[in-house]
Amino acid sequence: EAQVTQNPRYLITVTGKKLTVTCSQNMNHEYMSWYRQDPGLGLRQIYYSMNVEVTDKGDVPEGYKVSRKEKRNFPLILESPSPNQTSLYFCASGIFGGSTEAFFGQGTRLTVV
Amino acid sequence: AQSVTQLDSQVPVFEEAPVELRCNYSSSVSVYLFWYVQYPNQGLQLLLKYLSGSTLVKGINGFEAEFNKSQTSFHLRKPSVHISDTAEYFCAVSELNAGNNRKLIWGLGTSLAVNP
């Protein structure tokens, strides 16, 4: 089954404790992206990757890191999480920048206390 | 820069009534258009898309949308809604950026609440 898998689905952590949210896709897509979703603000892009070893900042990259060492994986790293990073995070993949369709993971609800 | 406006943040409607969720975008130069649906506690899934060709696009679950280039709109419609259509709906536009890559620009979403 074609899918984008995120883990964990839910995470509660404390301020400053490094964490990683994993994302994996099995569709051989070149393009992958991370979004955060907040009430009233819709979806905002954090980082995206056009291919292996190619990443770029989205609209709200501050406080986040990503890596793309393999085509299928695109982890999101929060080196020192803060409460304002409490949000619902989505990973997405696509053939080329969403030009035809973006496939989304189920989401990760992160709470930073 | 491209922007996407979903004109209604919330749309309440009764079951079996028709519904229209409105979406306008700012520039029609080389755009692709999408509607996504997000059911509670789930990720987004594609409802329908317009890439080229016929301006009336049919999607899943009985939804359709019409691309109107002159009005830069891509409104989503369904003639008769069900309780199960209760969800958040997002309009998105894919446009070419300065690097000749495509980027998705998102609307803020419309919450559709179908009441019995």
Side-chain angles (χ1 to χ4, degrees), chain B residues 6-21:
Chain B
Q6 292 184 239
L7 291 103
D8 307 291
S9 59
Q10 296 182 334
V11 174
V13 64
F14 287 110
E15 195 173 18
E16 298 183 7
V19 70
E20 178 180 79
L21 306 184

Side-chain angles (χ1 to χ4, degrees), chain A residues 37 59 90 97-100 102, chain B residues 32 34 36 38 49 90 103:
Chain A
Q37 183 181 23
D59 300 313
F90 288 102
S99 60
T100 52
Chain B
Y32 297 154
F34 305 84
Y36 284 82
Q38 183 182 26
K49 61 186 176 187
F90 291 93
K103 179 179 178 178

Side-chain angles (χ1 to χ4, degrees), chain B residues 47-105:
Chain B
L47 264 182
L48 48 78
K49 61 186 176 187
Y50 171 81
L51 305 182
S52 65
S54 172
T55 57
L56 183 63
V57 180
K58 294 190 184 298
I60 62 171
N61 301 339
F63 284 93
E64 63 180 33
E66 184 151 20
F67 168 56
N68 188 320
K69 187 173 182 178
S70 62
Q71 297 188 4
T72 59
S73 68
F74 191 54
H75 300 333
L76 181 71
R77 302 185 183 99
K78 186 169 182 178
S80 175
V81 294
H82 301 130
I83 297 284
S84 59
D85 293 322
T86 294
E88 190 84 12
Y89 292 80
F90 291 93
C91 179
V93 177
S94 169
E95 66 163 3
L96 283 173
N97 63 20
N100 211 35
N101 297 315
R102 283 197 169 268
K103 179 179 178 178
L104 276 174
I105 312 297

